[in-house]
Amino acid sequence: MTATIGLPSSPDSDRRHSAPRPTFAHLSRLSDDTGLFEHARHAIVRREHGYCTDDVARGLVVTSREPEPTEEVVRLAERYLAFLTHAQDARGAFHNRLGHDRRWTDQPGLGDWWGRALWGLGTAAARSPAAWIREDALVAFNLGAARRSPAPHAMAFAGLGAAEVLSRHPGHAAAAALLADAATTIGTPETDPGWPWPQQRLTYASAALAEVVIAASQLHPDGPPLDHGLRMLTWLRDVQLRTGRLSVVPAAGWRRGAVRLRHDQQPIEVAAFADACATAATITGDQGWEAGVRQAVGWFLGDNDIGTRMWDPATGGGYDGLTPHGPNLNQGAESTLALISTLQHARRWS
């Protein structure tokens, strides 16, 4: 069953696509009773690479966001939550990498995986239909929310989790403090309209930083002005549109004043843009942000620089990257989670 979603027209195309409902088939294929495997060759799991907290946390985000989850999706969420609570140490930091032999290969830390773990835990605490998942996720979130990372991306991901908690528990002091600190760490956009970004380089999941500033403006009494986050996101949208299609900053990033490359584009960038546009649309009521969500969906369905589909309908997996020659046909966890996350937004604007 599909939901038809109209995509903005480009000069050489007025196509309409049918956006499929999110499927968790490939996510289940990548998961076992411990967690979510990171890599795949085409659609086949590469167990030798093990698991990472980064992906398991994003798995908890998408399984918790399903409005009417199947029993299998709830089981996946419970499994991912168990992984995250096992990864967390007594002081709220997290391990990131677990080998297939079930041994951690790193020490607990406060990198991106800490932030994404809090994002997953906060989303589960706010949205899971299962009370036992909500309750235990909040316990783990509370422990992790006492920590801080100096890295803007790690704080942005943690801030997204804090915003989720505040949506259900408006008086949650630890979440409010974390969200405010996340916005402060991200920084204030510059006044230069040619580069109104707080940092001198765009790297990955950039839209998440703008989304946190937007959320903080609404959910914290001393938050930044809404215009700060909207200016960041507006500029990011404008520089990532090419003939009406989304053309995201590639994995190599883009430094201010440097030549911008076009490939390899990563699905995580598209998913972050969809999330941020959905938040902006909800807060402002501006239909222009709904178009941003549609452009993100369109990127997966073929409205991209190469004009190629970025997912496999036979497996439900997302392709790992867009190269000058077509998609990277491997269907790992990150790309599949990005696909599911983006398609979840298509239902609202169908």
Side-chain angles (χ1 to χ4, degrees):
M1 183 176 181
T2 61
T4 301
I5 177 169
L7 300 171
S9 295
S10 61
D12 61 348
S13 172
D14 60 357
R15 290 179 294 172
R16 289 179 66 88
H17 296 271
S18 258
R21 296 289 184 183
T23 172
F24 290 82
H26 191 54
L27 203 62
S28 294
R29 188 178 295 114
L30 294 174
S31 302
D32 66 0
D33 60 356
T34 296
L36 174 61
F37 287 104
E38 183 176 9
H39 293 295
R41 183 172 60 236
H42 295 173
I44 304 303
V45 173
R46 300 193 67 180
R47 298 177 185 275
E48 68 271 23
H49 292 286
Y51 320 81
C52 73
T53 293
D54 259 328
D55 288 333
V56 174
R58 284 179 282 205
L60 186 57
V61 170
V62 299
T63 52
S64 298
R65 293 203 314 198
E66 275 297 285
E68 296 178 353
T70 64
E71 289 184 10
E72 172 61 16
V73 170
V74 174
R75 282 195 294 269
L76 287 174
E78 187 173 13
R79 201 172 308 158
Y80 300 156
L81 174 58
F83 183 101
L84 295 181
T85 57
H86 178 52
Q88 190 175 38
D89 73 4
R91 298 180 61 239
F94 288 83
H95 291 278
N96 188 33
R97 299 201 170 275
L98 184 71
H100 189 226
D101 60 1
R102 311 305 195 270
R103 295 183 181 181
W104 295 109
T105 62
D106 62 355
Q107 295 300 313
L110 301 173
D112 283 358
W113 59 93
W114 163 81
R116 286 199 177 101
L118 292 186
W119 183 14
L121 293 168
T123 305
R127 302 203 200 189
S128 176
W132 72 90
I133 291 179
R134 292 197 307 272
E135 292 164 3
D136 204 62
L138 189 58
V139 170
F141 174 87
N142 289 341
L143 179 60
R147 305 298 302 272
R148 295 293 184 269
S149 172
H153 279 81
M155 288 296 288
F157 300 138
L160 293 175
E164 290 282 359
V165 170
L166 289 168
S167 71
R168 189 177 183 97
H169 305 285
H172 196 288
L178 178 58
L179 180 59
D181 288 346
T184 298
T185 302
I186 291 166
T188 303
E190 295 194 16
T191 57
D192 180 359
W195 191 278
W197 201 255
Q199 292 86 38
Q200 297 300 300
R201 186 169 183 261
L202 295 178
T203 52
Y204 56 93
S206 297
L209 278 67
E211 184 182 3
V212 166
V213 175
I214 291 170
S217 76
Q218 303 299 296
L219 296 172
H220 195 278
D222 299 319
L226 174 60
D227 179 64
H228 283 187
L230 292 178
R231 277 202 295 125
M232 290 170 62
L233 188 57
T234 298
W235 176 77
L236 188 64
R237 176 196 62 194
D238 292 347
V239 298
Q240 294 190 130
L241 285 180
R242 189 181 189 193
T243 63
R245 296 188 175 95
L246 193 61
S247 179
V248 295
V249 172
W254 181 29
R255 183 171 293 280
R256 185 176 188 173
V259 174
R260 177 181 158 193
L261 302 177
R262 292 291 173 184
H263 301 284
D264 294 320
Q265 295 179 30
Q266 301 291 298
I268 182 179
E269 208 67 41
V270 179
F273 181 70
D275 278 350
C277 287
T279 295
T282 298
I283 288 174
T284 67
D286 184 345
Q287 293 183 353
W289 295 116
E290 298 175 17
V293 175
R294 295 187 182 100
Q295 285 157 343
V297 174
W299 186 90
F300 282 100
L301 302 184
D303 275 349
N304 50 54
D305 284 347
I306 305 298
T308 187
R309 189 171 54 199
M310 287 300 296
W311 75 293
D312 184 350
T315 66
Y319 293 137
D320 278 358
L322 183 64
T323 79
H325 312 292
N328 175 339
L329 296 177
N330 292 332
Q331 300 167 38
E334 179 177 281
S335 54
T336 297
L337 290 162
L339 170 69
I340 294 171
S341 173
T342 303
L343 292 179
Q344 284 177 323
H345 292 302
R347 287 181 295 213
R348 179 171 179 182
W349 289 290
S350 60

